[in-house]
């Protein structure tokens, strides 16, 4: 029993670590709901079905109400009614609500705001997966077991008494024959009850096994260095059978696997690939190409030899996002880059020193300041804000980097937490557009993805960024040492800075 519990706990932890946006399950969004600037945090339950907590911070005056509504990407019926979000006492502008997430996969939360400026709403994509199993508290387990034994004994006793004395006139003493019949009835009742309990136990175990089998597992992948046409390439391959056989409906049905929707570009890239040394000193943000959506080769920068963690973000047409995780060992090689095939948005930072301060110097000599709060606490909103300054101290000018003011990557020192952040939060632009652009007739795979890619390209081409600053909404999921990489673009070059932080343990969970 103890061994089973430990195994179950271990599986739950592995899935939590391996889930999309590794170890950082909450969804963050910062943008506009019509005329109202909003910041939205969605805390999923980690079980399906489960209740998600939704926190909405609204900047506005004379608000008359905030509602939240859940909907699944491929839901065939109407969405459930919107739930009213209630103001949080002592925190003006913050509202909270709860939503049932009834099925896993690509879901969304629609936030609607009403006020004197009128009505506004925004759709926030949310990946809902089961990555944990809720345990039974020991006191409750003991109490239920004791109650069960009491009911078992009580029912057997009642049956025995009914057979022994149920048909006797008042005051008559049971005979040996009726006592024997009562004992037989009690034995039969016990056998029936034990059989029912054993059947229930087997049913419960089968349900538990099925739930465990359907818990989220990221697509398996492999990262390796290959040589092609005299050049060293970093190649990431999706090796998961469900993806390799995604077009074989017979294989999928035979193996009980669902068919994944095609991949779509996010911020103009089919994959965002991050290569991070285990000591955190070297970092690369690459964008592989692919002809078959299975093998993704990219140019390999001159990273030092050593052990690396590889994280690859991909987005499906349904809006579902994956973070693939693979180990990588680099030997002492001298990569030969192929400039005509290199992605212009590829960037890296090598041998970055530890930086416990709030200022870093970029490659062009300018500085970037982390407007760091006095304390970082796990589970609490900790937006990451940065300001770029020229050498003379004046505000620097940022350029759009893949359609936004910057990118950030947060990783816990042991690799148990990894997240790729945008100024709009943890969500991908492609996921949000998948919900916004989906039509009832989108039943042909790939049709919606084409519209998403076109709309995203248009949005990126018209993107504008703040003059000198960038901010990312986020909350650290657990305490410990972290490294944060922030990337901005100036004079056509992508610049990367690294900061180190210590996050304190959460003192009181948010209600």
């Amino acid at each position: 029993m103890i061994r089973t519990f430990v195994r179950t706990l271990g599986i739950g932890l592995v899935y939590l670590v391996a889930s999309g946006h590794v170890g950082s399950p909450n969804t963050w969004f910062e943008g506009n709901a019509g005329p109202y600037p909003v910041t939205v945090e969605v805390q999923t339950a980690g079980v399906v079905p489960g209740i998600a907590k939704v926190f909405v911070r609204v900047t506005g005056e004379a608000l008359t109400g905030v509602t939240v509504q859940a909907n699944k990407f491929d839901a065939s019926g109407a969405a459930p009614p919107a739930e009213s979000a209630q103001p949080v006492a002592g925190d003006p502008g913050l509202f909270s609500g709860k939503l049932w997430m009834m099925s896993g996969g690509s879901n969304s939360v629609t936030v609607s705001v009403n006020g004197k400026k009128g009505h506004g709403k925004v759709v926030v994509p949310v990946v809902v997966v089961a990555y944990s199993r809720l345990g039974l508290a020991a006191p409750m387990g003991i109490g239920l077991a004791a109650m069960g034994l009491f009911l078992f004994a009580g029912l057997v006793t009642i049956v025995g008494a009914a057979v022994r004395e149920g048909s006797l006139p008042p005051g008559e003493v049971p005979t040996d024959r009726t006592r024997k019949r009562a004992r037989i009835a009690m034995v039969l009742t016990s056998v029936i009850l034990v059989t029912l309990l054993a059947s229930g136990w087997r049913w419960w175990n089968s349900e538990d096994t099925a739930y465990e089998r359907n818990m989220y597992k990221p697509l398996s992948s492999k990262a390796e260095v290959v040589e092609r046409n005299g050049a060293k390439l970093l190649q990431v391959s999706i090796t998961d059978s469900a993806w390799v056989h995604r077009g074989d409906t017979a294989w999928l049905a035979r193996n009980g696997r669902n068919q994944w929707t095609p991949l779509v570009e996010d911020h103009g890239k089919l994959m965002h690939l991050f290569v991070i040394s285990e000591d955190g000193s070297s970092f690369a943000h690459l964008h592989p190409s692919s002809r078959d959506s299975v093998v993704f080769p990219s140019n390999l920068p001159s990273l030092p030899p050593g052990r690396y963690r590889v994280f690859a973000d991909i987005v499906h047409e349904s809006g579902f996002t994956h973070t693939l995780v693979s180990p990588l060992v680099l030997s002492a090689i001298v990569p030969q880059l192929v400039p005509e095939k290199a992605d212009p948005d590829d960037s890296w930072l090598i041998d970055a020193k530890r930086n416990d301060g709030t200022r870093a110097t970029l490659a062009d000599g300018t500085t970037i300041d982390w407007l760091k709060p006095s304390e970082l606490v796990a589970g609490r909103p900790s937006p990451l804000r940065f300001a770029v300054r020229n050498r003379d101290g004046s505000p620097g000018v940022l350029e759009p980097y893949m359609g936004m003011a910057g990118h950030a990557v947060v990783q816990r020192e042991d690799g148990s937490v990894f997240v790729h952040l945008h100024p709009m939060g943890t969500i991908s632009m492609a996921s949000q557009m998948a919900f916004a652009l989906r039509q009832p007739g989108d039943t042909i795979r790939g049709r919606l993805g084409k519209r998403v890619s076109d709309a995203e390209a248009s949005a990126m081409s018209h993107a504008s960024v703040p003059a000198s600053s960038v901010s990312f909404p986020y909350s650290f999921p657990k305490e410990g040492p972290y490294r944060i990489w922030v990337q901005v673009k100036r004079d056509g070059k992508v610049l990367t800075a690294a900061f180190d932080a210590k996050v304190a343990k959460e003192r009181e969970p948010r209600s």
Side-chain angles (χ1 to χ4, degrees):
M1 185 115 178
I2 295 177
R3 231 182 313 176
T4 302
F5 173 77
V6 172
R7 179 178 66 87
T8 299
L9 179 60
I11 290 172
L13 291 175
V14 167
Y15 291 160
L16 175 59
V17 168
S19 61
H21 281 151
V22 180
S24 191
N26 293 353
T27 298
W28 280 90
F29 168 79
E30 188 168 280
N32 293 315
Y36 304 99
V38 298
T39 300
V40 181
E41 180 188 8
V42 182
Q43 300 177 356
T44 56
V47 294
V48 180
I51 296 177
K53 298 178 181 179
V54 184
F55 296 91
V56 183
R57 184 171 295 281
V58 186
T59 303
E61 299 177 1
L63 298 176
T64 58
V66 176
T67 64
V68 292
Q69 182 182 37
N71 195 24
K72 196 169 187 296
F73 176 81
D74 56 355
S76 56
E83 300 286 343
S84 178
Q86 302 300 316
V88 176
D91 197 339
L94 182 64
F95 297 78
S96 68
K98 295 181 179 180
L99 293 173
W100 271 103
M101 296 295 188
M102 299 304 298
S103 58
S106 182
N107 286 258
S108 69
V109 171
T110 300
V111 176
S112 299
V113 182
N114 291 288
K116 73 173 187 179
K117 294 181 180 179
H119 173 74
K121 72 175 183 178
V122 65
V123 177
V124 181
V126 179
V127 172
V128 176
V129 294
Y131 57 76
S132 64
R133 299 162 73 195
L134 298 180
L136 183 65
M140 180 175 288
I142 294 172
L144 290 175
M147 186 180 297
L149 289 173
F150 174 78
L151 293 174
F152 183 98
L155 182 58
V156 171
T157 302
I158 290 172
V159 169
V163 173
R164 185 176 59 248
E165 303 172 10
S167 59
L168 293 177
E172 187 172 331
V173 178
T175 64
D176 291 341
R177 182 180 178 185
T178 56
R179 288 193 180 94
K180 183 178 180 180
R181 289 173 56 194
R183 286 193 291 269
I184 293 173
M186 293 173 69
V187 170
L188 289 176
T189 302
S190 298
V191 170
I192 292 172
L193 289 177
V194 169
T195 301
L196 291 174
L197 288 172
S199 299
W201 183 267
R202 285 196 298 271
W203 171 82
W204 179 261
N205 284 339
S206 67
E207 288 292 309
D208 186 56
T209 300
Y211 181 86
E212 180 183 312
R213 186 172 58 249
N214 292 322
M215 287 174 67
Y216 174 76
K217 305 173 185 66
L219 294 174
S220 59
S221 61
K222 178 176 66 174
E224 59 186 337
V225 176
V226 299
E227 187 168 335
R228 194 171 298 168
N229 300 325
K232 299 289 187 180
L233 302 176
L234 173 57
Q235 181 172 285
V236 173
S237 304
I238 302 178
T239 59
D240 198 284
S241 298
W243 182 251
V244 175
H245 294 280
R246 63 192 182 280
D248 188 345
T249 54
W251 185 95
L252 293 171
R254 192 166 56 249
N255 290 273
R257 306 295 292 273
N258 294 324
Q259 186 176 17
W260 289 104
T261 57
L263 300 183
V264 296
E265 292 184 347
D266 185 36
H267 308 296
K269 313 295 181 182
L270 201 60
M271 176 182 283
H272 291 263
L273 180 64
F274 300 90
V275 186
I276 305 174
S277 62
E278 287 193 352
D279 64 3
S281 63
S282 297
F283 166 92
H285 179 183
L286 310 175
H287 304 94
S289 59
S290 182
R291 294 181 179 179
D292 57 5
S293 294
V294 174
V295 178
F296 297 80
S298 64
N299 282 290
L300 179 63
S302 301
L303 297 173
R307 301 178 66 87
Y308 288 78
R309 301 183 183 110
V310 177
F311 303 94
D313 285 347
I314 54 176
V315 182
H316 292 273
E317 185 182 53
S318 65
F320 194 95
T321 57
H322 279 289
T323 297
L324 311 178
V325 184
S326 306
L328 177 68
V329 178
L330 292 181
S331 57
I333 60 175
V334 181
Q336 297 172 326
L337 299 182
V338 186
E340 64 272 14
K341 293 185 179 180
D343 190 297
D345 291 316
D346 285 357
S347 56
W348 49 88
L349 181 64
I350 297 175
D351 291 332
K353 306 301 180 186
R354 183 166 184 84
N355 181 8
D356 293 307
T358 58
R359 171 167 291 187
T361 301
L362 300 171
D364 65 350
T366 59
T367 59
I368 182 168
D369 292 328
W370 180 12
L371 308 180
K372 185 178 179 181
S374 57
E375 185 182 24
L376 299 173
V377 179
R380 298 292 161 180
S382 302
L384 306 176
R385 299 187 176 97
F386 302 90
V388 176
R389 298 189 177 280
N390 297 317
R391 297 186 183 186
D392 62 1
S394 61
V397 177
L398 299 180
E399 300 171 4
Y401 176 31
M402 289 184 285
M404 58 196 70
H407 291 248
V409 168
V410 177
Q411 183 192 242
R412 197 171 186 269
E413 193 174 83
D414 60 1
S416 62
V417 175
F418 167 88
V419 65
H420 173 201
L421 295 172
H422 312 127
M424 67 190 305
T426 60
I427 72 169
S428 79
M429 184 187 298
S431 293
Q432 190 177 48
M433 288 186 171
F435 279 95
L437 299 177
R438 187 173 189 266
Q439 300 173 0
D442 286 327
T443 57
I444 299 176
R445 294 174 182 270
R447 178 178 293 177
L448 173 60
K450 178 66 168 60
R451 293 206 308 275
V452 169
S453 296
D454 291 344
E456 190 182 55
S458 176
M460 289 174 60
S461 66
H462 294 88
S464 60
V465 302
S468 61
S469 62
V470 60
S471 178
F472 308 90
Y474 188 58
S475 63
F476 294 91
K478 59 182 179 179
E479 75 280 3
Y482 286 79
R483 171 152 274 205
I484 301 164
W485 291 268
V486 58
Q487 297 187 288
V488 295
K489 193 171 186 179
R490 285 170 51 83
D491 298 324
K493 297 180 180 179
V494 180
L495 307 171
T496 304
F499 295 90
D500 294 283
K502 184 75 172 179
V503 177
K505 186 175 182 180
E506 184 178 15
R507 291 183 288 269
E508 183 180 348
R510 296 177 73 186
S511 58

